[in-house]
Amino acid sequence: MSLPRSARLVAPLAIVIAASLAACASPAAGSGEGQRIDGGTIVYAPQQEPACVFGGWIEQAYISYNVLDSLVSLDENSQVVPWLAEKWEESDDGLSWTFTLKDGVGFTDGTPVNAEAVAYNFDYWVTGGNSTARVWLFGYYESAEVVDDLTVRINLSAPYPRLADNLTQGYFGIQSKDALETRSDEDNCSAPIGSGAFIVEEWNRGQNLVLVRNENYTSWPANALHEGPAYVEKVDWRFVADATTRVAALQSSEVDAIYDVPAVQWKTLDDGGYELERYVTAGRPQQLSFNTQIGPFTDERVRQAFAYSLDREQIVETIGQGVIPFEGNGGVSQSTPGYSQAAADRYTYDPEKAAELLDEAGWQLNADGVREKDGETLEVVLPYGAGSIVNADGAAILQGVKEQAEQVGFVVDLIPVPQAELFAGAYSTAEERDIAVGYWTAVTSGILYINWRPSTPESPNYSNQAFYDDEELGQLILDANSAADLDTQNELYQQAQEYIADHALAIGVYARLSTLAVAPNLHDVWQEHAQGGPTFYDAYLTE
Amino acid sequence: MTPTSPSSTPRAIALQVLHKLGTALSVLIGAVTVAFFAQTALPGNRATAILNIRAGQAVQRTPEELAQINQQYGLERPLVVQYLDYLVGALRGDFGHSYQQYRPVAEIIGEQLGATVVLALTAIVIAWILMVVWVTLTAGRGPRVGAIGSLVDVTAAALPAYWLGIILLLVFALGLRLFPVIGGTGPAGLVLPALTLAIPLAGFLAQATRTEFERALDQPFVISARMRGQGDLGVRLGHVLRHAILPAITLTGWALGATLSGAVVVESIFSRPGIGQVLVTAVNSQDLPIVVGIVVLISAFYVLANLLVDIAYTIVDPRLKGAAS
């Protein structure tokens, strides 16, 4: 949520005061583990309140992950482990996956978690139930078939060996078929029915969402720390939009854990004895994609010059204070399987090289220090979703990008776009922008398919933000997606990233983080490994 | 404000009431119209916004995807038809359903309204107390005290709500632990948010009152009151204040609307529920039914506030009462 200008100016002052008050405000730390509390309520303060519990947005996946079980879970070694599915098998031709469900699991409305329900959920997602689940299944999913009561077969149009990995994301939470069919949209939005460790008890809009323990929970994932129902009785999911308030609420013991810890408060909280958790989300990092269809960046040399003009690592280090990780790779982030370090290292700060490339491309420096060609200045439009896709730290980093690119003669129109406009389609076409900024969390390098699949008239791909409709890159990614052998797959994904880097189609800036700060009396909150959301199933409080 | 008829027959009063209601209704219809067309005139496409907000991705959408949403919400119809449809619904009290929450707008606003109204009214009461105490103590006490008094007025009036809120939060909630950091809806949680709104408002009110107050102090009735032996404080509270607060009453009518619509910053800092927060979210996601619903509500409050100001005038200034009846 963006704040008024005055707010940004006073924020540093507020932080100084917060830091000085924190000394007297932080609870006694390091006193060891106290008496374990039976039950109790965890008060957790995230930043954003979504419109519905379940949906295609990561903030929704974070909540629904505690309410809905998925077929499979991802453990800390990025291995897919059983959850609702006890085992699964890919057919020899790779065109169908058979999931065998645990027996005796029920949704919290009393209906059984069976093959019929799972198959129904797949069709529900691809017909609009979850647009993010849908893009992941796009191009591969054919149908879901009930084999017997506990066996469901997913038929694909082409092999996709990492299907199970992708299904660990919160967008694939399984809901009661009966609830989806018979209840109102409103009810399914505010309190979806799953078989998860918690049930939505009430949603006081604008304040909090209360989750209550599912006393009959039987379907914990294989990577959970314990068995049986959750330890705590309730989780009070309390929406606190303001970062300063979140930190203050944690320091005054009003909440037990907070999400999205501001970089400047990291050290204060660490010194105060709070447990800090940081998860670098895999998938597309926060990156810059160049418009390869219209404008100056249609010339590869100009794209490369832009990349060489930036000391991205220094900018991220300065703004991120060591908390935000630099990410040079424009395809996927460092925590993604199949990551290419070579692609990340492709461009380092080299303004001379940038100048040379621009000269070669015919863009000459004029008296004002701006490049010109045929009477046109080298002006590029860089819109970004202020407060929605790019947070305050990210906006500061983009400002650094603008300043450095202008040193070699670019003119960068850095345009903060309000969420209302951006999401309504402003700056979404090739005519409107030269550079696009954005991230997309994922579990595998399969995200490359979403972001780089070539557009065709029959099947446009608007997530291809570079508008780069290239068969060679597209084929590399398709081959990688379907490669049966993991090493071959990683090799192909790496080639795709290197292709993106060599042609300077996109360059990375920083990796997206999911951060938590947890009070000393709350234990075993873990960030699930698919997307970094907080998991409260194993968590317990002590005195 | 100006009475239309000098007579006070029941018929005339009824006509007057009807006239007021008619004016109020036309103001509200005007608000619906402006809000509706302003929302639809926003750049971009509403169906795209609906889909993108649900997905958390800002991308273009395919015609098939858009067609489904357009059909569901009737967005493919001519704008005038959509508007008339909405207006007819609104007159029947049906403000439509939120695109994102799938719930009736009246329900969404209804559950948030109480918290915001309580906050706004409390803030106004506190602002009045602060203002009356401060002006009574400092106005007309010679140039030095007067200068300090008006400096404080101006400073308070100019305090940005976000800054003030954060300072109050850090000092009184986090540092001194007198109030909760996360306000919630309880009385303890109301103090700091209300103060955040009240302090700048008190500054505004004091600025308006101070000049009148000092002018009234020079009036003959003040001298005669003093000659009757009334103490200074008694004169100030009993005679001068009454003359000085008319501008502040007018401002309060404005403040009631302004605090409602300006509550969003305070709601954000203190994590209070309220319509400010709902409005910002709705504007951000182009959730038109909610935006228009809240705009209508705020206009209704302005209308109501103006009515209350009219009444307050006649109570404070008996000359107007004579004119009105």
Side-chain angles (χ1 to χ4, degrees):
Chain A
M1 203 102 311
S2 82
L3 297 164
R5 182 169 292 276
S6 58
R8 298 208 191 96
L9 296 175
V10 297
L13 169 64
I15 283 154
V16 170
I17 296 180
S20 52
L21 286 170
C24 53
S26 47
S31 52
E33 196 165 311
Q35 189 69 39
R36 188 163 170 152
I37 294 172
D38 200 22
T41 300
I42 296 172
V43 186
Y44 166 65
Q47 177 186 12
Q48 280 164 320
E49 180 175 16
C52 299
V53 170
F54 180 73
W57 191 23
I58 189 163
E59 307 289 338
Q60 296 175 306
Y62 285 170
I63 305 179
S64 63
Y65 199 85
N66 288 278
V67 177
L68 311 179
D69 290 335
S70 296
L71 285 178
V72 282
S73 171
L74 201 68
D75 75 4
E76 55 191 3
N77 305 314
S78 295
Q79 294 302 307
V80 183
V81 297
W83 196 349
L84 281 177
E86 147 186 286
K87 57 181 184 178
W88 53 94
E89 201 178 4
E90 190 186 0
S91 66
D92 291 339
D93 60 4
L95 293 178
S96 68
W97 285 68
T98 309
F99 290 88
T100 308
L101 304 175
K102 281 180 192 163
D103 196 5
V105 180
F107 291 111
T108 52
D109 62 359
T111 59
V113 178
N114 56 19
E116 197 189 336
V118 172
Y120 183 85
N121 273 269
F122 272 82
D123 288 326
Y124 168 71
W125 301 325
V126 296
T127 51
N130 192 306
S131 53
T132 305
R134 176 184 177 168
V135 292
W136 276 108
L137 295 171
F138 177 86
Y140 290 92
Y141 175 76
E142 289 265 285
S143 63
E145 204 184 313
V146 176
V147 178
D148 62 38
D149 192 39
L150 293 177
T151 314
V152 61
R153 184 178 300 140
I154 309 301
N155 296 312
L156 305 179
S157 56
Y160 197 94
R162 306 298 288 266
L163 176 70
D165 298 67
N166 288 342
L167 295 182
T168 61
Q169 300 177 94
Y171 312 117
F172 299 94
I174 304 289
Q175 297 181 60
S176 155
K177 179 186 177 216
D178 189 58
L180 287 176
E181 279 182 335
T182 61
R183 298 197 315 162
S184 64
D185 283 345
E186 178 186 339
D187 288 343
N188 286 321
C189 159
S190 58
I193 300 290
S195 57
F198 294 94
I199 303 166
V200 178
E201 186 180 58
E202 57 170 337
W203 192 341
N204 304 301
R205 299 265 181 180
Q207 282 187 88
N208 64 341
L209 177 79
V210 181
L211 305 183
V212 64
R213 173 169 65 194
N214 174 2
E215 300 291 352
N216 304 314
Y217 191 49
T218 53
S219 49
W220 46 89
N223 57 325
L225 302 177
H226 82 288
E227 299 186 344
Y231 291 130
V232 292
E233 198 192 333
K234 284 183 182 183
V235 180
D236 180 349
W237 207 280
R238 196 161 275 271
F239 305 103
V240 181
D242 191 87
T244 312
T245 311
R246 277 201 305 283
V247 173
L250 181 67
Q251 289 172 329
S252 66
S253 304
E254 279 175 48
V255 304
D256 304 302
I258 62 170
Y259 175 69
D260 199 20
V261 184
V264 286
Q265 301 275 35
W266 196 261
K267 194 173 176 319
T268 313
L269 289 176
D270 198 17
D271 294 345
Y274 296 91
E275 186 192 332
L276 292 163
E277 291 185 45
R278 195 181 77 139
Y279 176 89
V280 178
T281 48
R284 180 179 235 194
Q286 202 61 279
Q287 49 79 51
L288 308 174
S289 288
F290 299 103
N291 181 349
T292 59
Q293 257 177 20
I294 300 173
F297 289 128
T298 48
D299 187 332
E300 185 172 314
R301 291 168 297 189
V302 180
R303 302 198 292 265
Q304 290 176 333
F306 196 90
Y308 279 122
S309 76
L310 306 176
D311 191 348
R312 289 168 286 161
E313 189 161 9
Q314 175 253 327
I315 301 174
V316 173
E317 188 56 38
T318 309
I319 309 289
Q321 313 213 352
V323 178
I324 303 173
F326 162 65
E327 178 56 73
N329 191 321
V332 297
S333 81
Q334 52 210 274
S335 50
T336 319
Y339 173 76
S340 164
Q341 189 61 46
D345 296 339
R346 181 67 175 74
Y347 300 97
T348 49
Y349 182 51
D350 191 345
E352 284 87 33
K353 182 105 184 175
E356 213 173 279
L357 284 161
L358 289 172
D359 286 339
E360 248 176 65
W363 292 96
Q364 302 298 332
L365 263 188
N366 68 12
D368 305 329
V370 175
R371 300 264 167 186
E372 272 184 6
K373 183 178 174 180
D374 306 330
E376 254 186 79
T377 51
L378 184 49
E379 190 170 342
V380 296
V381 177
L382 199 179
Y384 68 96
S388 52
I389 289 173
V390 174
N391 64 10
D393 287 339
I397 289 171
L398 290 178
Q399 188 63 36
V401 165
K402 169 186 161 80
E403 280 162 21
Q404 291 191 345
E406 292 189 340
Q407 295 294 315
V408 302
F410 281 94
V411 174
V412 181
D413 294 335
L414 185 62
I415 305 172
V417 188
Q419 188 187 328
E421 277 183 50
L422 188 78
F423 281 69
Y427 298 102
S428 62
T429 64
E431 287 76 19
E432 293 170 289
R433 63 155 193 250
D434 296 300
I435 304 178
V437 187
Y439 68 89
W440 194 318
T441 66
V443 177
T444 65
S445 289
I447 187 65
L448 291 169
Y449 179 67
I450 293 178
N451 295 148
W452 297 97
R453 176 176 67 81
S455 269
T456 59
E458 312 80 64
S459 173
N461 179 11
Y462 296 124
S463 302
N464 183 337
Q465 294 189 313
F467 308 105
Y468 190 72
D469 302 329
D470 179 77
E471 279 313 313
E472 190 183 342
L473 177 59
Q475 197 57 50
L476 265 177
I477 297 168
L478 278 179
D479 291 347
N481 278 353
S482 292
D485 169 59
L486 194 62
D487 291 335
T488 317
Q489 182 182 56
N490 285 343
E491 171 63 30
L492 286 164
Y493 278 139
Q494 283 165 0
Q495 282 179 28
Q497 292 157 50
E498 283 148 27
Y499 185 97
I500 291 166
D502 288 343
H503 296 278
L505 306 173
I507 55 171
V509 184
Y510 60 92
R512 183 192 174 273
L513 287 177
S514 164
T515 55
L516 288 180
V518 181
N521 66 329
L522 175 61
H523 309 268
D524 286 348
V525 176
W526 46 274
Q527 294 181 289
E528 49 93 6
H529 305 287
Q531 293 178 286
T535 311
F536 294 107
Y537 168 61
D538 289 318
Y540 62 93
L541 293 154
T542 51
E543 297 279 353
Chain B
M1 199 184 300
T2 345
T4 46
S5 159
S7 101
S8 57
T9 61
R11 192 184 139 80
I13 290 173
L15 270 177
Q16 231 176 301
V17 169
L18 271 180
H19 177 75
K20 288 253 187 229
L21 283 177
T23 317
L25 191 65
S26 56
V27 167
L28 292 182
I29 291 178
V32 170
T33 311
V34 172
F36 185 91
F37 286 104
Q39 272 291 295
T40 50
L42 281 178
N45 170 293
R46 240 184 308 157
T48 305
I50 293 171
L51 283 166
N52 277 341
I53 291 287
R54 288 183 189 167
Q57 290 288 343
V59 295
Q60 248 179 297
R61 294 286 166 181
T62 61
E64 298 84 68
E65 286 178 302
L66 294 177
Q68 194 189 344
I69 296 289
N70 278 329
Q71 209 252 328
Q72 186 180 353
Y73 293 102
L75 304 182
E76 80 288 356
R77 296 173 301 165
L79 208 52
V80 175
V81 175
Q82 293 184 44
Y83 164 72
L84 289 175
D85 189 40
Y86 182 88
L87 194 62
V88 169
L91 288 173
R92 288 201 320 258
D94 174 11
F95 288 87
H97 280 66
S98 156
Y99 297 150
Q100 296 296 332
Q101 295 189 22
Y102 308 94
R103 298 195 302 155
V105 169
E107 190 184 315
I108 293 171
I109 294 178
E111 72 190 12
Q112 301 294 328
L113 184 61
T116 307
V117 169
V118 167
L119 173 66
L121 292 179
T122 313
I124 287 172
V125 169
I126 295 179
W128 266 87
I129 295 172
L130 291 176
M131 182 275 281
V132 166
V133 169
W134 182 243
V135 170
T136 310
L137 287 179
T138 58
R141 302 277 190 206
R144 184 169 295 175
V145 177
I148 294 174
S150 38
L151 181 71
V152 171
D153 296 350
V154 174
T155 314
L159 284 177
Y162 182 80
W163 185 84
L164 180 63
I166 289 285
I167 298 297
L168 290 176
L169 176 99
L170 294 177
V171 174
F172 293 100
L174 181 60
L176 303 174
R177 299 287 172 95
L178 294 175
F179 300 101
V181 174
I182 299 180
T185 45
L190 184 61
V191 178
L192 294 181
L195 269 179
T196 308
L197 286 175
I199 290 172
L201 182 59
F204 273 114
L205 296 177
Q207 274 177 299
T209 311
R210 182 174 302 277
T211 324
E212 286 295 310
F213 199 97
E214 286 175 350
R215 191 179 306 150
L217 274 174
D218 294 335
Q219 296 289 317
F221 64 82
V222 173
I223 300 169
S224 60
R226 289 194 202 282
M227 283 171 69
R228 286 199 306 271
Q230 197 168 9
D232 181 55
L233 192 64
V235 170
R236 282 168 176 264
L237 288 176
H239 296 278
V240 179
L241 192 62
R242 189 164 184 162
H243 283 258
I245 56 170
L246 280 181
I249 290 177
T250 314
L251 267 180
T252 303
W254 159 82
L256 188 61
T259 42
L260 274 180
S261 48
V264 61
V265 175
V266 174
E267 287 170 7
S268 163
I269 299 170
F270 295 97
S271 313
R272 273 182 70 84
I275 55 166
Q277 202 71 278
V278 175
L279 178 62
V280 168
T281 312
V283 167
N284 276 338
S285 47
Q286 295 211 6
D287 204 334
L288 180 140
I290 297 189
V291 175
V292 179
I294 292 181
V295 169
V296 171
L297 180 82
I298 291 176
S299 338
F301 266 94
Y302 272 106
V303 169
L304 187 71
N306 273 323
L307 200 67
L308 292 177
V309 166
D310 285 359
I311 296 169
Y313 260 59
T314 54
I315 295 171
V316 175
D317 191 340
R319 288 170 303 180
L320 292 176
K321 198 185 289 171
S325 54

